[in-house]
């Protein structure tokens, strides 16, 4: 203990003191800064950033090529689909959140579940299922409509279709944020408005949603960024009709031969700038709107009586479940359990003799599925543990010490939020091929996921750390516990649920991730989402559907287990 | 244990929270640090306990120097053996009451059997003998406060620091615990520092009060002395003097001012006579306690001392009545009339008089 | 650790498979006979005992390929059965594979021992990077000159045909186009045409080159006017044909055959005005970690045995004259010369590529 009594003014001691900062900063640099740096560099030179390539000459041609007339469509599409789908997702998410949190809608817990249900269908699986349902001519919905003598008008291979599907699968994020905010809102604030003569609609618009504006705004930016950087949906639903967004264009530039890595980097850089501006604006807006009224105190809010709108409201919620979960499941089951890919009509869908379990059995037994499921689990668990430790260390350093560099670290930790997943994958590819010990193993995927999910993980653990009043730790210090002892005996037990919840979230998100992995996997390290995507790209739809069903079942169990046992709710999303 | 604080300076970035503060606390003494929020009282206390690293100064507890900026000594909080009750109580919700109280003893590596004994003992001393196995998250505010106190006492600290320990409780409980706390401290002969912004708490509990302002001690005195002779209008204000007026000394009464000074209130033609003698022309604050304002319904015998006023509002408090008065062509004045008579109605005309020896002329 | 364990597991599985299949009487077309350690099938010597021993020390061969999944799996299966070696590596669409090879080769960390890819233009890039090493397979003398590289660095593996396929529920059989020249007409009549982007790989570019050479740019424009469905893989295209989302596609016989087998109302025709063909190439990576196993793989792939597997299981035309005829769902495909094969000139394939694909992208409103 005597060494503690000496002020750390000696140079050696000062170096020691800076060690945690240096270590954390180094990790962030490796995970975030270097891949981004390589990408930005590549976008300004004329030689691909592959290892062993010459440094190349400075050029802006990559940007010029992207900004040429025809390519602007992709940028415009990204914005139109992003904004449209965000609006749609917000309406869905806020509506469901309000119904579940503040009204007497029947089967409330079912409505609440409805809000998060689509989370276990990754956007890849959702898009695949909706391409089965809503493709022109032979989409299941069109077959049904035609059989019923109605016009077969459904077409998800269109901008409205993309907006619809993106909105449906990103609504849970607004739901989670707004729901938690609404259920923490002091109902007296609404009651005060009624007492002062406001009508229901004034209160809903002028008070309730105004008070949860930070949550709504946060959800809006988050959703917008997520949708704009989403790759599977435009790839699956947009490319058949030549509707491209920046992510699908990045993929196309990389996956068509000969690839154009420099242009892809430039497209990535543009996407990065757009999302970074969004995140920045959101932070500025939210910084000026710190409403203290939404407290952590528990309230039992008086539910709003919906009267004759109770059942219609419930029906709307169920319609959402139908669109987001039930119909896609139906389509996948159809595809996985029917031998003949061609469907003549409704009757053919339900004819028992066309039912076949061969594909499903083959898929379940295939080494590919088993190996990729194992890989997914290994990568997810690896990311959850490695990430959990890193995020905890980072959150502790930022929120619980007074060491220098805290603001910088928390700033860098939020960067990946603005970096599209596809771009992270590219950055990692070019950075890590130099290190064959890591590259080509599952470790590279773990690293990429840990980097990609840094904002969610850091925020998730931070929020549970912030909830622990510093007094609780300080009182342990006063009671004679050293720093490490305090962390171990007081802090860890108190944040345990939060940390586990965040780790599970990371696990689930890693399991769902496709875009990060698509440039990084090898045959040994193929994860489930990649297997599904590759099979889709090869046109093997029955195995795609079968694997998707396995995938859904797995995510379903995981999501509900974590919600039931560990209370994973809105942390970090 | 006797504690000496010398030239303590604490900085937060560029902001100086505590500025060159020196303070002695005698063994067994209860010292109250009183002041508005942001005056540096909590920071001073946190420096003593070791949760805040000061920029300069020394802190000595008994014979041990626990902090000396120049010699590079900074004993960490866990080695200082100072008890502290936090404003939020900081009861660990994942532990039981007994585990909470036992925690410091475990840290001191006290044998298990002895821990059990001492926990029971200290819980009994705060009246929580049956609460040991209870989960700490399911306690009322008052119970939490007692657990926090028990936890601090269990470690047999060299001194006890209390950071607004009663501020989260309702008024009645607060008053009761205040006495309990004082009695316990006195019976144990515990040296204690008590931080509060509540003057009545300070007066009731303290052996001495240090009123702090902007990081320095404005006045350090026993409660009676401080109440009678606040050194500045800031102290007076903090100790419940409601009538404070900016004024300027215009003259003296009696030969060579032997009967005191006359002060003219700023922005009015009202002169107030005070017993104290101050240099003519100097600015001063006229401070009058509401209970020292004498109300007379009829014209007084010496009209030059009296001020005509109108009752704006009256609040009947049982054993006394508190008035808000509007002085003619002058400021608002608060007065308290003892007794349970019927209060004067608003609008009633009264004359007010303050004996010169009750008028204090203070600096800012 | 992990990969070792996986390897052991794989080897064990392979060995079990071998045992099972020999127990069932061998099956398949060839019989892998290993007398005195020499690898020979049906009398054709594929690897000497010395090479086989060295290869078996290495245990596995790493193959980077963009062969379609079905063919690739069958080839790997047969090869593993014949040799006892394990096939590892990556199968990815040509573009993605190319990017990966270049990145990994640049860092000196390319795990591949053998690369199998279509498209001369891309393969030549790898050749120019000195990625490959010379290797003469035992069947070298049997292979026609046009399928061999002049410098001995690589071989053409197979020729892959592109045919016209249609869904008879979406377009009546009698209206289905019989020639490429009919495609724009069918499209104009409201039948959705599907094809692979010209920039996607050899198939897409091969077809674009063929139609442009034969019919001129006007053909592209008339086809583009029907707003065809553009897909990134011929597999995905076939799947959409099977579901009836598109009526007519430029496809490959094996995929159509499989759909037909599943009961989809699809069929294909050998176009009257020519069948565009493109070659897959195979080369041995100079710095591969399993040089001997790689030689065995190459020898095997170019042997009558390997070529027959590619033909009968993959439905592509072999380059070995004595190999089995290609088959789709058990039905033999017509002889190579009878389908009016159109193999583009290498200088056209390489020289026109960049400018014509750019034009194609403009005409079809598909830019990259």
């Amino acid at each position: 203990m005597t060494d503690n009594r000496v002020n750390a003014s000696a140079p050696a001691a000062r170096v020691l003191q800076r060690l945690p900062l240096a270590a954390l900063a180094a990790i962030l640099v490796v995970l975030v800064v270097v891949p981004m740096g390589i990408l930005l560099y590549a976008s300004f030179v004329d030689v691909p950033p592959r290892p062993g390539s010459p440094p190349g000459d400075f050029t802006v041609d990559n940007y010029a090529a992207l900004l040429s007339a025809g390519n602007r469509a992709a940028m415009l599409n990204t914005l139109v689909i992003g904004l449209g789908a965000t609006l749609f997702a917000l309406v869905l998410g806020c509506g469901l959140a309000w119904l579940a949190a503040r009204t007497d809608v029947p089967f409330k817990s079912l409505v609440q579940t409805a809000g998060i249900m689509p989370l276990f269908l990754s956007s890849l699986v959702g898009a695949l299922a909706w391409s089965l349902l809503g493709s022109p001519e032979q989409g299941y919905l069109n077959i049904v409509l035609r059989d019923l003598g109605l016009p077969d008008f459904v077409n998800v291979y269109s901008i409205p279709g993309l907006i619809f599907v993106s909105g449906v699968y990103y609504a849970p994020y607004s739901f989670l944020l707004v729901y938690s905010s609404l259920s923490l809102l002091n109902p007296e604030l609404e009651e005060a408005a009624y007492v002062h003569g406001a009508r229901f609609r004034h209160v809903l618009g002028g008070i309730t949603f105004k008070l949860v504006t930070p949550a709504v705004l946060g959800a809006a930016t988050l959703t917008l960024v997520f949708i704009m950087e989403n790759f599977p949906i435009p790839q699956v639903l947009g490319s058949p009709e030549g509707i491209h967004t920046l992510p699908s264009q990045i993929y196309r530039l990389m996956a068509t031969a000969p690839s154009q890595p420099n242009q892809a980097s430039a497209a990535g850089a543009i996407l990065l700038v757009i999302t970074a501006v969004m995140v920045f604006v959101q932070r500025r807006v939210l910084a000026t709107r710190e409403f203290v009224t939404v407290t952590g105190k528990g309230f039992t809010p008086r539910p709003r009586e919906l009267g004759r709108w109770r059942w219609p409201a419930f029906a709307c919620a169920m319609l959402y479940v139908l669109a987001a979960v039930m119909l896609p499941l139906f389509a996948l089951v159809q595809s996985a359990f029917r031998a003949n890919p061609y469907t003549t009509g409704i009757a053919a869908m339900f004819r028992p003799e066309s039912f076949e379990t061969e594909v499903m059995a083959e898929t379940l037994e295939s080494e590919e599925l088993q190996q990729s499921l194992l890989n997914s689990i290994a990568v997810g668990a690896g990311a959850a543990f490695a990430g959990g430790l890193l995020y905890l260390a980072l959150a502790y350093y930022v929120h619980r010490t007074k060491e220098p560099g805290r603001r910088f670290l928390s700033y860098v930790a939020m960067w990946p939020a603005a970096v599209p997943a596809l771009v992270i994958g590219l950055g990692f590819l070019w950075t890590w091929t130099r290190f064959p010990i890591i590259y080509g193993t599952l470790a590279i995927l773990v690293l990429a996921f840990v980097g990609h999910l840094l904002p969610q993980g850091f925020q998730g653990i931070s929020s549970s750390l912030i909830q622990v009043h510093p007094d609780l730790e300080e009182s342990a210090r006063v009671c004679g516990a050293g720093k490490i002892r305090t962390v171990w005996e007081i802090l860890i037990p108190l944040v345990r649920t939060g940390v586990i919840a965040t780790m599970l979230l990371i696990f689930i998100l890693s399991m769902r991730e496709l875009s990060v992995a698509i440039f990084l996997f090898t045959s040994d390290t193929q994860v489930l989402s990649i297997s599904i995507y590759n099979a889709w790209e090869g046109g093997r739809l029955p195995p795609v559907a079968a694997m998707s069903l396995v995938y859904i079942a797995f995510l379903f169990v995981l999501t509900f287990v974590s919600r039931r046992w560990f209370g994973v709710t809105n942390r970090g999303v | 244990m006797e504690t000496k604080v010398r030239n303590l300076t604490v900085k937060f970035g560029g902001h100086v929270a505590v500025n060159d503060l020196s303070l002695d606390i005698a063994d067994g003494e209860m010292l109250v640090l009183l002041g508005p929020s942001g005056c540096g009282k909590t920071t001073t206390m946190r420096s003593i306990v070791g949760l805040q690293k000061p920029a300069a100064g020394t802190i000595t507890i008994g014979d041990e120097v626990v902090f000396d900026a120049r010699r590079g000594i900074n004993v960490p909080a866990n080695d200082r053996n100072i008890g502290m009750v936090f404003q939020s109580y900081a009861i660990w919700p994942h532990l039981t009451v007994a585990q909470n109280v036992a925690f410091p003893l475990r840290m001191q590596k006290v044998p298990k059997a002895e821990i059990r004994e001492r926990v029971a003992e200290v819980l009994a001393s705060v009246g929580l003998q049956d609460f040991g196995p209870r989960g700490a998250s399911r306690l009322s505010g008052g119970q939490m406060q007692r657990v926090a106190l028990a936890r601090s006492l269990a470690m047999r600290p060299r001194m006890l620091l209390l950071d607004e320990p009663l501020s989260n409780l309702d008024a009645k409980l607060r008053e009761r615990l205040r006495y309990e706390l004082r009695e316990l401290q006195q019976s144990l002969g515990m040296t204690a520092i008590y931080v509060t912004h509540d003057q009545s708490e300070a007066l009731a509990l303290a052996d001495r009060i240090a009123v702090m302002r902007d990081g320095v001690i404005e006045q350090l005195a026993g409660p009676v002395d401080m109440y009678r002779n606040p050194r500045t209008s800031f102290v007076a204000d903090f100790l419940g003097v409601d009538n404070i007026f900016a004024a300027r000394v215009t003259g003296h009464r009696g030969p060579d001012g032997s009967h005191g000074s006359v002060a003219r209130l700023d922005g009015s033609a009202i002169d107030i006579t005070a017993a104290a003698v101050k240099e003519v022309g100097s600015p001063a604050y006229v401070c009058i306690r509401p209970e020292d304002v004498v109300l007379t319904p009829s014209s007084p015998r010496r009209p030059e001392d009296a001020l005509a006023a109108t009752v704006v509002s009256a609040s009947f408090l049982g054993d006394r009545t508190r008035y808000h008065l509007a002085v003619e062509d002058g400021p608002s004045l608060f007065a308290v009339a003892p007794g349970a008579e019927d209060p004067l109605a608003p609008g009633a005309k009264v004359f007010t008089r303050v004996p010169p020896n009750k008028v204090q002329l203070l600096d800012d | 650790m992990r990969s070792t364990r996986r390897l052991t597991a794989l080897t064990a599985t392979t060995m079990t498979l071998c045992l099972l299949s020999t127990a069932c009487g061998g099956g398949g077309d060839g019989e892998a006979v290993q007398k005195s350690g020499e690898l020979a099938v049906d009398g054709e010597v594929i690897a000497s005992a010395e090479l086989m021993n060295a290869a078996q020390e290495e245990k596995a061969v790493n193959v980077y390929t963009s062969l379609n999944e079905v063919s690739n799996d069958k080839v790997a299966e047969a090869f593993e059965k014949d040799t006892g070696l394990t096939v590892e590596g990556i199968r990815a669409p040509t573009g993605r594979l190319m990017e990966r090879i270049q990145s990994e080769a640049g860092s000196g960390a390319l795990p591949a021992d053998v690369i199998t890819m279509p498209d001369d233009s891309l393969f030549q890039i790898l050749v120019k990077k000195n990625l490959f090493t010379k290797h003469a397979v035992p069947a070298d003398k049997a292979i026609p000159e046009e399928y061999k590289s002049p410098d001995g660095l690589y071989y053409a593996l197979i020729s892959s045909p592109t045919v016209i396929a249609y869904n008879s529920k979406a377009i009546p059989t009698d209206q289905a186009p019989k020639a490429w020249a009919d495609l724009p007409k069918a499209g104009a009549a409201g039948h959705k045409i599907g094809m692979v982007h010209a920039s996607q790989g050899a198939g897409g570019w091969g077809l674009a080159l063929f139609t442009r050479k034969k019919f001129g740019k006007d053909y592209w424009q008339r086809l583009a006017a029907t707003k065809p469905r553009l897909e990134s893989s011929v597999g995905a295209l076939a799947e959409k044909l099977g579901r009836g989302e598109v009526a007519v596609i430029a496809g490959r016989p094996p995929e159509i055959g499989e759909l037909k087998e599943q009961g989809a109302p699809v069929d294909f025709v050998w176009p009257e005005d020519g069948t565009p063909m493109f070659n897959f190439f195979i080369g041995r990576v100079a710095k591969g970690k399993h040089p001997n196993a790689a030689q065995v793989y190459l020898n095997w792939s170019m042997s009558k045995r390997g070529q027959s597997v590619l033909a009968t299981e993959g439905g592509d035309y072999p380059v070995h004259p004595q190999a089995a005829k290609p088959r789709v769902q058990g039905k033999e495909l017509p002889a190579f010369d009878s389908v009016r094969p159109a193999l583009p000139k290498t200088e056209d394939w390489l020289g026109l590529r960049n400018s014509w694909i750019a034009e194609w992208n403009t005409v079809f409103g598909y830019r990259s």
Side-chain angles (χ1 to χ4, degrees), chain A residues 50-51 135 138 157 240-241 251-252 254-255 257 259 340 342 433 439 519 521 523-524 534 537-541, chain C residues 6 69 89 93 95-96 99-100 102 104 106-107 122 169 199 229 233 235 239 243 245 263-265 353 366-367:
Chain A
R50 299 180 192 116
S135 60
Q138 283 299 101
Y157 298 168
E241 285 296 334
Y251 179 77
R252 204 148 38 89
M254 287 302 294
S259 60
N340 188 346
Y342 188 77
T433 35
Y439 178 76
F519 292 119
F521 78 95
S523 59
D524 275 358
N534 279 348
E537 211 172 47
R540 299 183 303 131
L541 214 56
Chain C
R6 185 173 134 69
E69 209 153 352
R96 251 157 70 194
E99 177 59 30
R100 169 160 290 189
Q102 284 173 290
E104 292 177 348
S107 65
L122 299 179
K169 285 278 162 61
S199 57
R229 173 72 42 84
S233 87
E239 181 272 319
R243 285 205 288 131
E245 217 181 286
R353 180 174 174 126
Y366 181 92
R367 286 152 216 271

Side-chain angles (χ1 to χ4, degrees), chain A residues 381-467:
Chain A
F385 278 107
L389 277 179
L390 172 66
Y391 308 149
L392 182 63
L394 203 58
Y396 183 83
Y397 190 88
V398 168
H399 297 292
R400 279 302 198 259
T401 69
K402 297 192 173 67
E403 304 298 325
R406 300 193 315 275
R407 277 181 64 90
F408 166 74
L409 286 182
S410 66
Y411 184 67
V412 175
M414 295 316 290
W415 272 11
V419 184
L422 219 50
V423 172
I424 292 224
L426 270 187
F428 265 73
L429 173 70
W430 290 324
T431 313
W432 288 93
T433 35
R434 290 167 178 82
F435 304 96
I437 304 168
I438 304 261
Y439 178 76
T441 67
L442 289 175
I444 182 80
L445 292 176
V446 170
L447 282 179
F449 286 164
V450 167
H452 175 58
L453 298 172
L454 183 58
Q456 284 98 320
F458 175 65
Q459 278 197 325
I461 292 187
S462 290
S463 73
S464 47
L465 211 60
I466 290 167
Q467 277 168 19

